[in-house]
Amino acid sequence: EAILTTMDITTDGFGFMLAFGDLVWVPFTYTLQARYLVDHPVEMSYPQIALILAVEVIGFILFRCANSQKDNFRRDPNSPSSRSHLLTTVMEDSLTMSLFAFADCRTEDTANS
């Protein structure tokens, strides 16, 4: 559900660029590495494979947490769950807001599950 509220879906709409990207660009880029490995085989140990999988899982978790936080903020910017991630600091008479919350994201996701 958080993916459907991202800017490229809500603002850009479905047009040539999105259709071309989904049908041509995404399959090309996803299979390019596999094609290279078919032509240039690489032997990897189990620890190397585990490291690659761990990096991928961590990246996916960060991606989902970030999109979940943005989605919650878009739905209700004044809710306590949205506000808990915002840290405010005053710098030269201006209010800047920064997002800081990997630990809060994990607790929020387990509460929503």
Side-chain angles (χ1 to χ4, degrees):
E1 72 187 42
I3 300 295
L4 296 177
T5 60
T6 57
M7 188 174 88
D8 57 343
I9 300 295
T10 60
T11 306
D12 296 342
F14 186 77
F16 174 77
M17 188 171 74
L18 186 59
F20 181 81
D22 288 345
L23 297 174
V24 177
W25 185 247
V26 171
F28 172 74
T29 57
Y30 284 4
T31 59
L32 193 59
Q33 298 86 358
R35 176 66 185 168
Y36 177 82
L37 290 174
V38 165
D39 293 336
H40 304 90
V42 176
E43 295 293 326
M44 291 194 306
S45 66
Y46 287 118
Q48 289 173 322
I49 294 171
L51 178 66
I52 291 170
L53 290 175
V55 168
E56 186 174 339
V57 167
I58 290 169
F60 182 75
I61 290 170
L62 289 172
F63 170 76
R64 293 294 296 161
C65 287
N67 275 335
S68 177
Q69 287 178 4
K70 289 188 292 185
D71 184 56
N72 288 337
F73 187 78
R74 283 187 193 111
R75 289 178 189 269
D76 186 12
N78 296 319
S79 74
S81 66
S82 296
R83 289 291 204 194
S84 68
H85 300 299
L86 296 176
L87 300 175
T88 57
T89 57
V90 177
M91 298 177 68
E92 299 176 8
D93 298 332
S94 67
L95 183 64
T96 60
M97 300 174 80
S98 61
L99 195 60
F100 177 84
F102 179 66
D104 288 341
C105 175
R106 291 190 53 156
T107 58
E108 178 181 308
D109 283 347
T110 56
N112 289 339
S113 298

